[in-house]
Amino acid sequence: KNQVEQSPQSLIILEGKNCTLQCNYTVSPFSNLRWYKQDTGRGPVSLTIMTFSENTKSNGRYTATLDADTKQSSLHITASQLSDSASYICVVSPRSGGYNKLIFGAGTRLAVHP
Amino acid sequence: NAGVTQTPKFQVLKTGQSMTLQCAQDMNHNSMYWYRQDPGMGLRLIYYSASEGTTDKGEVPNGYNVSRLNKREFSLRLESAAPSQTSVYFCASSASGGGQPQHFGDGTRLSIL
């Protein structure tokens, strides 16, 4: 069964520190992998999207990496800010099956403390 | 830009009541989606509409119906609400027919007692 698992479930860091969130998937083959940020009480907002052939994609202080051999992706946040407090969701799109087959991870809840 | 607008934001229902969740987008997008988000689980697709006039079932369609009223609006109806349908419901849209969701609304928090 295709799965997307994220770790840790939750994380607390101090403002200004870096952190890395993990996403392990069993979906194969896949078309792309996307990271979303979801603020409390809001809908998800896309941060990065990578095709299966890409290794890294950046969006400001957010850098996503992809290792298709180990089926792992990570989201690295540099110099964290209080506004980074949110849930981060990894989503994998299988190559077959279309957009209605997207597989969402359960998310990592990040809290940035002053 | 409003993007994707969902109404209502909160709702409490009793078991057996019916309700329609409204969604509208102002980006002239072709595809629209309804997802539900439950604690500890990833978003799950309920129904989607690749273009005006078409709708298809997603992963968890039982207990729900949808209407693509026009290109802008996509509503989700619960005919006889059950406690298992307590969830946060998100509407989303994308420009291309059949594309991945690009923009999400802020959700409707629905509690069924």
Side-chain angles (χ1 to χ4, degrees):
Chain A
K1 180 181 177 181
N2 287 330
Q3 287 187 312
V4 174
E5 295 188 355
Q6 295 186 241
S7 62
Q9 279 190 319
S10 61
L11 179 64
I12 299 173
I13 62 173
L14 294 177
E15 186 179 13
K17 298 296 185 182
N18 303 335
C19 69
T20 299
L21 314 180
Q22 299 290 345
C23 173
N24 294 339
Y25 59 92
T26 61
V27 182
S28 183
F30 72 97
S31 293
N32 59 64
L33 185 148
R34 191 189 294 256
W35 284 92
Y36 288 93
K37 177 187 180 188
Q38 184 176 19
D39 292 320
T40 300
R42 306 297 298 273
V45 174
S46 183
L47 288 175
T48 64
I49 181 169
M50 292 180 289
T51 66
F52 64 91
S53 61
E54 293 180 290
N55 299 119
T56 187
K57 185 67 69 77
S58 291
N59 178 358
R61 295 180 296 100
Y62 301 100
T63 299
T65 61
L66 176 63
D67 186 334
D69 291 332
T70 61
K71 295 185 173 59
Q72 293 182 326
S73 177
S74 63
L75 181 68
H76 187 74
I77 303 175
T78 304
S80 61
Q81 300 177 358
L82 298 179
S83 59
D84 293 330
S85 295
S87 289
Y88 292 84
I89 301 170
C90 174
V91 185
V92 180
S93 174
R95 191 175 299 175
S96 63
Y99 59 93
N100 55 319
K101 301 297 185 185
L102 294 181
I103 302 170
F104 288 76
T108 291
R109 185 179 298 276
L110 174 66
V112 181
H113 289 183
Chain B
N1 286 338
V4 179
T5 303
Q6 293 184 234
T7 56
K9 295 189 184 304
F10 303 93
Q11 185 70 46
V12 178
L13 293 178
K14 294 181 179 179
T15 299
Q17 288 185 316
S18 62
M19 161 143 204
T20 299
L21 279 58
Q22 307 287 352
C23 175
Q25 52 91 8
D26 62 1
M27 296 168 284
N28 201 36
H29 282 177
N30 288 307
S31 298
M32 297 185 75
Y33 315 77
W34 276 105
Y35 288 90
R36 62 178 288 173
Q37 186 176 40
D38 299 298
M41 300 180 68
L43 274 79
R44 292 181 292 169
L45 183 65
I46 304 171
Y47 270 93
Y48 61 98
S49 172
S51 62
E52 184 179 355
T54 68
T55 61
D56 286 287
K57 295 178 180 180
E59 181 185 356
V60 288
N62 291 345
Y64 306 95
N65 285 302
V66 291
S67 296
R68 184 74 183 266
L69 304 171
N70 47 55
K71 194 170 186 179
R72 290 187 64 248
E73 298 172 291
F74 189 38
S75 63
L76 178 71
R77 182 163 179 83
L78 287 70
E79 290 291 351
S80 179
S84 61
Q85 294 177 305
T86 293
S87 187
V88 182
Y89 291 86
F90 287 98
C91 178
S93 70
S94 67
S96 60
Q100 296 181 18
Q102 296 171 285
H103 298 275
F104 283 82
D106 284 337
T108 294
R109 283 142 190 85
L110 183 62
S111 293
I112 299 163
L113 307 177

